[in-house]
Structures are given as structure tokens and as C-alpha cells.
Amino acid sequence: MLILAMLIANVAAVLLLLRHGEWPERVAVGLVVFSWVGARLLAPLEIDNWRLGAAIVDTIILIAFWVMALRAHRWWLLPATGFQNIAFITYLVPWIVQGEAGRYFVWTGVTIRMGVWLVISIILFAGAWEAWAARRFRLEEASNGNQLLNPRGV
């Protein structure tokens, strides 16, 4: 039931990003769809219970969020990149912890990634709000003849 609620929330966030967003939000929509499809297509790729396919998908998403955070003027991309980095780091833990104990961290990582994806889903709603607010601010600024930035007309 929780997974269905998250899926519905993600679809709502994607629709809001498409409706109100500009290029960063639309790229984020592509990344969300890529995560849905890519995770299913690459799921069979595993190395001794380590999810190589999921690691590839999350790494691509991390790099894309990181590049967008550096180039786009959107604050929501910074926490999205940070939380995606947490998801990426969870793939490294089983390789750092040696021996049998490292195998237990595989499922710990899966659990952490589920929580991280929940937070990123909330951040996507914040991204839709920011895109809406930025557009509204630009429209108000244009209709006021840039008086918001220069109220005295000097």
C-alpha cells in the first residue's frame, strides 16, 4: 500500500513538474521516468547479491542532478543531489565492509535508498513549487515594468 501511495505521489509530482517547470524540471521528469524504467530493465544485473543495475541507474541520476545543480538556478536541485549522493554511497558500503558482514549491508542500503527516494519525492514537489513561483515572479516583474527591482523608477 505504501509503494502504491509513493507511486501516485511521484506521478503527481511529475505532472506538476511538467506543468510548471522549465528545462531543469523537465530533465528531472526524464530522470524519474528513467529511474522507473531503468531499475526494471537493469534489475537482473547483480554481483553476489549486490545490485549492479540499480547502482548504474542511481549513479547516472546522481551525475545528472549534480550537473543540473551546477548549471540551473534552482535551489531544490541541491538537496535532491545531496540525497541522491546518500543513495549512491549506500552502494559502496558493501564493498568497504569486508567479509560476511558486508553482505548484511546490501539490504541496509536498500532500506536507506527507499527512505531517500521518499525524501526526493517530496523535494520534487518543492521543485514544482519553485518553478511555479519563479514563473509567477517573472510575470509580475514584467507586468510592473521591473518596479519590483527598482521601485522608485530611478
Side-chain angles (χ1 to χ4, degrees):
M1 192 61 150
L2 178 64
I3 293 176
L4 180 62
M6 280 186 62
L7 181 62
I8 291 170
N10 280 319
V11 169
V14 162
L15 292 175
L16 287 171
L17 286 170
L18 283 175
R19 168 74 175 91
H20 299 291
E22 295 174 0
W23 76 265
E25 289 79 22
R26 296 195 174 155
V27 171
V29 166
L31 291 172
V32 170
V33 172
F34 170 71
S35 74
W36 293 340
V37 175
R40 301 297 179 259
L41 291 177
L42 298 177
L45 296 176
E46 288 187 2
I47 299 175
D48 191 32
N49 232 10
W50 185 71
R51 298 173 175 225
L52 175 63
I56 291 170
V57 170
D58 279 344
T59 303
I60 291 170
I61 293 171
L62 171 64
I63 292 168
F65 271 151
W66 195 339
V67 169
M68 286 192 324
L70 292 174
R71 295 181 188 237
H73 298 287
R74 296 284 198 240
W75 66 264
W76 70 271
L77 287 169
L78 296 173
T81 303
F83 282 104
Q84 187 62 32
N85 193 29
I86 292 170
F88 171 75
I89 290 170
T90 63
Y91 290 105
L92 302 178
V93 171
W95 295 99
I96 295 170
V97 177
Q98 297 296 320
E100 189 65 28
R103 297 177 65 112
Y104 297 112
F105 285 105
V106 171
W107 290 106
T108 303
V110 171
T111 305
I112 292 170
R113 286 188 294 276
M114 288 172 62
V116 164
W117 187 250
L118 177 65
V119 173
I120 290 175
S121 298
I122 294 167
I123 292 170
L124 293 177
F125 282 105
W129 174 84
E130 183 189 8
W132 171 82
R135 179 176 291 162
R136 181 175 177 192
F137 182 74
R138 278 195 310 276
L139 289 174
E140 288 178 5
E141 182 180 89
S143 69
N144 290 336
N146 289 333
Q147 290 179 2
L148 291 175
L149 296 177
N150 191 4
R152 295 184 194 156
V154 178

